[in-house]
Amino acid sequence: MVVEDDTTVRSVVGDYLRAAGLEVSLHADGTSARSALERALPDVLVVDRMLPGVSGDELCREVRARSDIPILMLTALGAVKDRIAGLEHGADDYLAKPFAMRELQLRVQALLRRRAVVVAAGAFTAGDFVVDPVRRVATVAGSGRELALTSREYDLFLFFARNPGRVLTRDEILREVWNWRVGDGATITVHVRRLREKIEPDPRFPVYLRTEWGEGYRFTPRPDA
C-alpha cells in the first residue's frame, strides 16, 4: 500500500512498483488509507509523513499498535531529527524526497524478503530468551511471555541473539540487519532504544543490550552468568 498525497509521485511510484511485479494499492490521503487498513493489512506500507486528514505519523502509530508489518516512510522532511521522529512512530525504514525509484523498489523488496523469510533452523535458547526463527517470535524463557517486537525489532534481536557476547559495530548491524552498505547511525540508535524498552527490566540501565562506547553494542543473554 502506498499513501501519498502528491498525484505525480503517487502515480509514478505505483507504476514503478507494479512494473517490478508487485501488487499495489494507492491512497491520496490518510483517511481513506485508514479505512482500507482497517479492512486488510498489506505486506508493506509505504506512507508519506505529511498527509491531509490523518497524518502519516498517526497511521504509522495505529498500524504498529496492532501489527508488525514493515513500514517505509516517504517524506520531504530529511533532517536527522525528522528521520528519528519517523522511526520513533514505528517505521522500519525511511526514504527522504527526492529519491530514486530504483532505491525505493529495492528497499520495499528487502522488507518483503524479511517478512517472507522462513529459516530452516528450529527455535533456540539465548540465555533468558527463546527465539523461534520459523515463527519469528521471541519469548522470555521460563514464563513463555512473548516479546511484542515489530518486524525490524525482531530482525535486530535475532542478530544479537545469534552473536551473544560479541561487540557488533553499527556498520555491521546496518549491513546484516538493514542490508545497507551506507546508512544513518540514528536508525540503529532508535531501534536499540525501542528494543531495550521491551527486553530490559529497566531500559535506563540495560543489562542485556549494552553500549560499548566507540565500538557498538554487546548482547549478554544472561547477565548474571
Side-chain angles (χ1 to χ4, degrees):
M1 178 184 289
V2 176
V3 190
E4 167 62 60
D5 61 327
D6 185 293
T7 303
T8 301
V9 174
R10 185 174 65 252
S11 176
V12 171
V13 167
D15 289 345
Y16 196 91
L17 293 179
R18 288 189 183 107
L22 303 178
E23 183 178 345
V24 183
S25 62
L26 301 176
H27 295 271
D29 59 81
T31 304
S32 66
R34 173 192 272 170
S35 297
L37 288 165
E38 289 173 350
R39 294 191 298 271
L41 290 171
D43 293 310
V44 175
L45 173 63
V46 179
V47 59
D48 191 358
R49 280 193 71 186
M50 302 173 68
L51 294 169
V54 180
S55 72
D57 291 346
E58 289 180 77
L59 278 181
C60 192
R61 287 195 299 269
E62 290 174 5
V63 170
R64 188 55 72 230
R66 63 191 178 97
S67 173
D68 67 347
I69 64 165
I71 300 174
L72 170 64
M73 275 194 167
L74 295 179
T75 182
L77 303 173
V80 171
K81 64 181 180 65
D82 297 312
R83 293 199 295 275
I84 291 175
L87 294 168
E88 288 181 330
H89 289 307
D92 296 284
D93 203 350
Y94 200 106
L95 194 56
K97 300 176 181 177
F99 55 85
M101 288 294 163
R102 177 61 174 162
E103 182 178 7
L104 172 63
Q105 176 199 334
L106 291 174
R107 292 200 183 198
V108 168
Q109 289 175 329
L111 291 172
L112 283 167
R113 283 196 302 273
R114 281 193 200 95
R115 185 161 177 79
V117 69
V118 175
V119 181
F124 65 95
T125 299
D128 294 338
F129 304 93
V130 178
V131 185
D132 188 337
V134 175
R135 295 172 55 228
R136 291 181 59 80
V137 167
T139 58
V140 178
S143 70
R145 177 177 63 84
E146 183 176 328
L147 301 176
L149 304 178
T150 67
S151 178
R152 184 73 77 180
E153 289 165 2
Y154 172 82
D155 291 335
L156 181 60
F157 185 66
L158 178 63
F159 185 53
F160 282 126
R162 283 178 166 160
N163 294 275
R166 187 163 74 84
V167 176
L168 302 173
T169 67
R170 288 171 172 249
D171 287 344
E172 189 175 3
I173 295 169
L174 280 174
R175 184 173 64 251
E176 298 299 328
V177 179
W178 272 262
N179 198 30
W180 294 355
R181 297 301 172 197
V182 179
D184 186 353
T187 299
I188 297 175
T189 302
V190 171
H191 280 81
V192 165
R193 182 167 70 244
R194 281 165 35 186
L195 184 56
R196 281 173 172 159
E197 290 171 355
K198 298 178 180 181
I199 70 172
E200 298 285 356
D202 186 345
R204 297 172 302 171
F205 305 101
V207 294
Y208 293 111
L209 186 50
R210 304 185 186 191
T211 300
E212 298 289 343
W213 297 107
E215 297 184 57
Y217 298 96
R218 186 195 305 272
F219 177 64
T220 306
R222 182 168 291 165
D224 58 348

